[in-house]
Amino acid sequence: MGNLLKVLTCTELEQGPNFFLDFENAQPTEGEREVWNQVNSVLQDSESILSGLQAYKGAGQEIRDAIQNPNDLLLQERAWNSVCPLVIRLKKFYSFSLRLEEALQSLLESLTCPPYTPTQHLEKEQALAKQFAEILHFTLRFDELKMRIPAIQNDFSYYRRTISRNRINNMNLDIESEVNNEMANRMSLFYAEATPMLKTLSNATTNFVTENKTLPLENTTDCLSTMASVCKVMLETPDYTSRFSSEDTLLFCMRVMVGVIILYDHVHPNGAFNKSSKIDMKGCIKVLKDQPADNVEGLLNALNYKMLYNTIKHKTRIK
């Protein structure tokens, strides 16, 4: 099994298999290499995307000055010249989400295809499982940062208002060669989401299930529920956490666990919070609450938001 070690527990038959997955050191086998290379070409850009988002300051002051002084052409030009590079950066983030979507679907195809079960795939293809985890880790980090930057939507709204006004005035807008109207519409929908990257992955997972009609739904949901069990066991077992060379791996596991729970909830007809769920939700939440509050506040909020959303949706359907 290499670095993926089976955890023998008395509840295995009830909760499904649990594994310890070496998120730090798993390396691709020859059989994994082609997909691993494809996904790695995407993941290697993830840190620069996060750095770019973290450094995003916005053009709030320039926009306010322009709005308060509509007849001052210098201030209008200053605001426009401040916003345009930011919009190009926002396009880069959005374009990366499309690459991430393709990467996730490639991994799902590899980790769910017959004749192996999802559990057997995780045993045999540890490096791909690690990449799957890295995509989820990145996704939650991106969305946590995005929620703290209201300037993104303010800047983009100003850009769209201004470009519409200038288009009416028949002005030549060079930036439209970079961000045309169709692209702006798609970006607007993306950034309107509270958690745009997670929404992208959720849709990608749903599309994967829809497009692969001959593949049993359980192959995908079992892959997700097994990953949740992997992370829960790793977090609650000192013998396993002691193997990590970095404390950052603990937060990595927590983010991955929450990410797969949300994907499972999005794809499974009964959701993750139903009693029939193969995910031990009480155990997962307990593991999070046992961690320092500063590390898990955002993750618990994500689960609470999902539960609240499901409750509202269910009540609306009943009415």
Side-chain angles (χ1 to χ4, degrees):
M1 291 187 186
N3 291 322
L4 197 59
L5 303 176
K6 190 168 185 180
V7 179
L8 300 176
T9 70
C10 61
T11 59
E12 180 176 357
L13 293 178
E14 296 177 7
Q15 296 182 356
N18 296 310
F19 297 94
F20 177 84
L21 174 60
D22 189 348
F23 283 136
E24 295 178 332
N25 302 307
Q27 296 296 318
T29 62
E30 277 307 306
E32 298 170 87
R33 179 70 62 180
E34 182 177 353
V35 174
W36 188 91
N37 284 340
Q38 175 195 338
V39 176
N40 187 58
S41 69
V42 177
L43 284 172
Q44 66 186 6
D45 294 332
S46 62
E47 286 301 322
S48 67
I49 294 293
L50 290 173
S51 297
L53 181 61
Q54 198 161 19
Y56 192 98
K57 300 303 181 185
Q61 187 60 53
E62 291 87 348
I63 292 172
R64 282 191 295 272
D65 291 342
I67 292 174
Q68 291 167 6
N69 301 276
N71 296 321
D72 190 324
L73 296 180
L74 182 61
L75 291 178
Q76 305 305 311
E77 184 177 353
R78 182 180 298 165
W80 181 248
N81 289 338
S82 297
V83 165
C84 285
L86 296 174
V87 170
I88 299 299
R89 192 187 305 184
L90 293 177
K91 180 192 174 185
K92 181 181 178 182
F93 300 158
Y94 170 71
S95 297
F96 185 78
S97 77
L98 302 180
R99 296 173 60 204
L100 205 66
E101 181 177 1
E102 290 184 7
L104 178 72
Q105 291 185 328
S106 295
L107 288 173
L108 285 173
E109 186 175 349
S110 294
L111 295 173
T112 61
C113 64
Y116 300 116
T117 66
T119 297
Q120 289 170 330
H121 275 297
L122 292 176
E123 288 181 324
K124 293 169 63 66
E125 298 164 6
Q126 302 169 32
L128 297 187
K130 177 175 178 284
Q131 286 185 319
F132 184 32
E134 288 170 340
I135 286 177
L136 290 166
H137 182 240
F138 162 83
T139 295
L140 268 69
R141 288 173 69 197
F142 182 96
D143 287 345
E144 286 170 7
L145 285 171
K146 185 264 180 184
M147 283 191 282
R148 299 184 202 140
I149 310 175
I152 288 176
Q153 284 179 275
N154 294 336
D155 294 346
F156 200 68
S157 294
Y158 177 81
Y159 167 78
R160 299 207 70 187
R161 291 196 307 270
T162 304
I163 205 167
S164 296
R165 185 170 63 247
N166 290 345
R167 194 182 293 119
I168 290 171
N169 295 332
N170 294 318
M171 294 179 64
N172 184 32
L173 301 168
D174 292 338
I175 193 172
E176 284 203 284
S177 63
E178 290 275 353
V179 182
N180 59 29
N181 194 50
E182 181 185 353
M183 173 62 73
N185 287 336
R186 284 187 273 139
M187 288 171 61
S188 183
L189 291 173
F190 177 77
Y191 288 110
E193 295 287 342
T195 54
M197 284 291 177
L198 193 54
K199 178 69 172 177
T200 297
L201 294 196
S202 296
N203 290 342
T205 307
T206 299
N207 291 340
F208 173 80
V209 170
T210 303
E211 292 166 6
N212 293 272
K213 298 184 185 300
T214 59
L215 185 72
L217 173 63
E218 291 74 18
N219 283 36
T220 303
T221 55
D222 285 356
C223 176
L224 300 174
S225 61
T226 301
M227 284 292 287
S229 294
V230 166
C231 296
K232 182 178 79 73
V233 170
M234 290 169 73
L235 289 165
E236 67 187 3
T237 308
D239 285 349
Y240 298 148
T241 56
S242 66
R243 299 180 188 182
F244 301 150
S245 63
S246 170
E247 290 186 5
D248 291 343
T249 309
L250 287 173
L251 184 54
F252 180 96
C253 289
M254 288 185 273
R255 284 201 177 103
V256 173
M257 183 177 72
V258 170
V260 290
I261 288 172
I262 293 173
L263 290 186
Y264 181 99
D265 186 72
H266 192 81
V267 174
H268 197 285
N270 297 325
F273 303 95
N274 188 281
K275 289 183 180 179
S276 64
S277 170
K278 290 188 178 181
I279 296 178
D280 176 15
M281 286 303 306
K282 288 185 178 179
C284 291
I285 291 172
K286 181 182 182 302
V287 163
L288 290 176
K289 288 187 172 180
D290 287 343
Q291 308 300 320
D294 289 346
N295 289 348
V296 299
E297 182 180 3
L299 299 176
L300 288 170
N301 286 342
L303 292 179
N304 285 330
Y305 173 82
K306 191 62 177 171
M307 285 190 284
L308 178 62
Y309 173 81
N310 287 352
T311 300
I312 293 172
K313 185 171 70 171
H314 179 66
K315 287 181 179 178
T316 302
R317 191 163 53 237
I318 290 175
K319 291 178 180 179

